[in-house]
Amino acid sequence: MKKKKIGLLVGLGCTTLLLASCGNSPQKEFATFIEEQNSQTVGTWDFNMAIDDMKLSEGTSSQPADPIVNMIITQVKDASIDGTVQVDMAKDIKFGLDMKMKAMGMEIPFNMIGDFGKEPKLYMATDMMEYVMTIAQSMAGGTPETQPDFSKIKGKYIDISETPTAESKKEWKELYKEVAHSKEDQKEFTKLYVDFIKGLDKKTFTKEEDVISHTFTKKELEDLFTEIAKASKEKDADVKEVFKDFKDMTLKVDVNPKKNSMVSLVTLSPKGEKNAKSGIDSMTLKIKTSLKDKKANIKLPKKEDIISQEEFEKAMPSGAALGGDSEKISKEEFEEVKSMLTENKDTMDKEAAKEFLESEKEAFTEEQYKELQELLK
């Protein structure tokens, strides 16, 4: 009896070891998950994108940090995007995108539906325009002469695939061809990506409970993008030229096959002058995706809910966003702008300042604009 018991324990131990050795390694599980996710031609995914961490640049002796850029970054660093995307590539290519962007204390909705069948159609919801106008007006610092009646466009969609000119019709045909090829491209790129993962050091893949992780180094990312460029139309793309502006770049990917979810952390650290020019020393962007359903329910807008671009323009009076041509800044406000530019002209990015000045040209008188142009020379 004792011998039988010992034999049973030894047999059980050997069987356990055998099964363990035959099991998938974290690297294989990681590659399988990526392949399955990228091969999913029909599905509904939830996603979230947000800045996980950001360090502002202090600049260099030759390129000090730009105070204007730093101010803008400080305002947007808490921005995030939450949404759902539906894709159906079983026959034609259809998609539905429904998301909300949180920024500057507001939630801005964005909805787009596309069908790239025999007659490609692309629709964008107009609900976001009320928020866009509010932001534009607050930046302009004025009250519009004519307030748009947003009730006329609420719940409506603009047909942005309208092609009134021969040139735009040609552009849409080219876009349709590219989208039609994307099915085959997806298969090719998925195989390339999975083969690349399988060729990496298996020790760099770890597993904790149900989560499998790998951090792609800058070198690995550069090699991967080089392979993708070779396999695509962009054979002459200089991948190294893109990567040379970064002192470091990593992509940490956590996958959970049981939950059909993935979390990616992209960390970017620009080099020297690029660091100061962008205003960022380092930034980490977090992207979460989760396969909600292996089905998609994409419905194009009803005919009565679609308005033409001409109808949309009629509902949005000219000059509504920025308060019309008569809305000029006061003398006091002009002196403040002039003073800020004078104090920071040696440290700010001149090109960025000129672009900003050009975009706000209508807010200045002709004399004021010329004066600021001279100041930025």
Side-chain angles (χ1 to χ4, degrees):
M1 180 67 74
K2 203 171 186 179
K3 285 183 180 179
K4 282 185 181 179
K5 208 171 190 180
I6 293 170
L8 183 64
L9 288 170
V10 170
L12 185 62
C14 288
T15 303
T16 304
L17 286 170
L18 184 63
L19 287 171
S21 63
C22 291
N24 281 339
S25 67
Q27 183 182 32
K28 285 182 180 177
E29 286 187 72
F30 188 97
T32 300
F33 177 84
I34 295 297
E35 186 170 22
E36 288 175 353
Q37 288 286 308
N38 284 283
S39 301
Q40 188 75 36
T41 55
V42 181
T44 301
W45 287 263
D46 286 336
F47 66 90
N48 169 270
M49 290 186 284
I51 296 171
D52 190 62
D53 185 45
M54 181 184 285
K55 293 175 183 174
L56 298 182
S57 170
E58 293 181 1
T60 63
S61 55
S62 59
Q63 180 74 54
D66 190 329
I68 294 178
V69 173
N70 281 357
M71 180 186 70
I72 295 169
I73 291 171
T74 302
Q75 288 180 337
V76 302
K77 70 176 183 178
D78 294 325
S80 65
I81 297 173
D82 285 282
T84 299
V85 61
Q86 297 186 76
V87 177
D88 188 345
M89 297 172 67
K91 291 182 181 178
D92 297 320
I93 297 176
K94 297 179 183 177
F95 78 92
L97 175 63
D98 188 11
M99 68 183 195
K100 284 185 178 178
M101 179 178 176
K102 296 177 184 177
M104 299 172 70
M106 301 175 70
E107 276 195 8
I108 306 167
F110 181 84
N111 179 275
M112 186 175 276
I113 305 170
D115 182 352
F116 288 88
K118 290 182 180 179
E119 292 185 20
K121 286 291 181 184
L122 194 59
Y123 302 98
M124 185 180 76
T126 57
D127 289 351
M128 67 179 289
M129 293 312 300
E130 184 173 354
Y131 301 89
V132 172
M133 289 294 184
T134 300
I135 292 171
Q137 288 167 15
S138 66
M139 289 178 70
T143 304
E145 294 173 351
T146 311
Q147 273 284 6
D149 185 357
F150 293 109
S151 64
K152 289 181 180 179
I153 60 172
K154 191 170 180 63
K156 302 294 183 182
Y157 286 83
I158 307 173
D159 182 356
I160 59 177
S161 54
E162 280 185 332
T163 52
T165 65
E167 188 179 345
S168 55
K169 282 182 181 179
K170 186 180 177 182
E171 288 173 358
W172 271 101
K173 280 184 180 179
E174 288 301 315
L175 177 62
Y176 172 67
K177 284 181 185 177
E178 287 182 24
V179 173
H181 282 301
S182 66
K183 275 188 183 180
E184 294 304 314
D185 290 343
Q186 185 183 7
K187 290 178 184 177
E188 186 180 352
F189 292 146
T190 296
K191 185 179 183 307
L192 189 153
Y193 186 24
V194 170
D195 287 345
F196 182 84
I197 290 168
K198 290 177 179 177
L200 298 174
D201 183 357
K202 64 180 182 181
K203 292 177 184 176
T204 60
F205 293 82
T206 60
K207 184 173 183 179
E208 189 173 335
E209 295 182 350
D210 298 327
V211 179
I212 308 154
S213 305
H214 175 73
T215 299
F216 292 88
T217 63
K218 182 185 175 185
K219 174 74 167 57
E220 289 172 353
L221 290 170
E222 189 173 336
D223 289 345
L224 175 60
F225 279 95
T226 300
E227 290 299 314
I228 290 172
K230 285 179 183 176
S232 70
K233 295 177 183 177
E234 308 296 325
K235 296 184 190 297
D236 299 326
D238 193 346
V239 176
K240 288 186 177 180
E241 187 68 23
V242 176
F243 280 80
K244 77 172 188 178
D245 289 334
F246 297 92
K247 59 185 175 187
D248 197 18
M249 180 189 296
T250 60
L251 170 61
K252 184 178 186 293
V253 181
D254 297 333
V255 304
N256 188 325
K258 285 191 176 180
K259 291 185 177 180
N260 262 322
S261 64
M262 179 164 61
V263 178
S264 303
L265 284 172
V266 186
T267 302
L268 305 169
S269 300
K271 278 183 181 176
E273 288 194 5
K274 292 285 181 183
N275 172 312
K277 207 168 186 179
S278 67
I280 299 168
D281 183 60
S282 68
M283 180 180 76
T284 301
L285 180 68
K286 181 182 277 188
I287 306 165
K288 298 179 184 177
T289 58
S290 177
L291 179 60
K292 190 178 178 181
D293 198 336
K294 291 187 178 181
K295 296 177 183 177
N297 184 23
I298 303 164
K299 293 181 180 178
L300 296 178
K302 293 177 182 178
K303 191 175 181 180
E304 60 266 28
D305 292 331
I306 300 168
I307 60 174
S308 66
Q309 292 185 36
E310 187 179 348
E311 288 174 302
F312 173 74
E313 285 168 9
K314 282 181 181 177
M316 307 297 288
S318 177
L322 298 177
D325 292 337
S326 63
E327 199 66 51
K328 303 290 184 183
I329 67 170
S330 66
K331 289 183 180 180
E332 291 78 13
E333 288 171 327
F334 172 72
E335 289 303 323
E336 284 181 22
V337 172
K338 183 179 170 184
S339 176
M340 183 189 72
L341 292 176
T342 303
E343 288 176 17
N344 298 290
K345 70 176 184 177
D346 295 328
T347 59
M348 69 174 60
D349 181 351
K350 294 290 194 297
E351 288 304 314
K354 285 177 182 177
E355 285 176 18
F356 170 76
L357 189 61
E358 181 65 30
S359 68
E360 298 297 328
K361 188 175 182 179
E362 295 300 318
F364 303 105
T365 64
E366 189 176 341
E367 292 76 17
Q368 288 173 338
Y369 186 73
K370 285 181 179 178
E371 189 174 344
L372 294 178
Q373 275 186 315
E374 284 295 318
L375 183 62
L376 292 173
K377 279 185 178 179

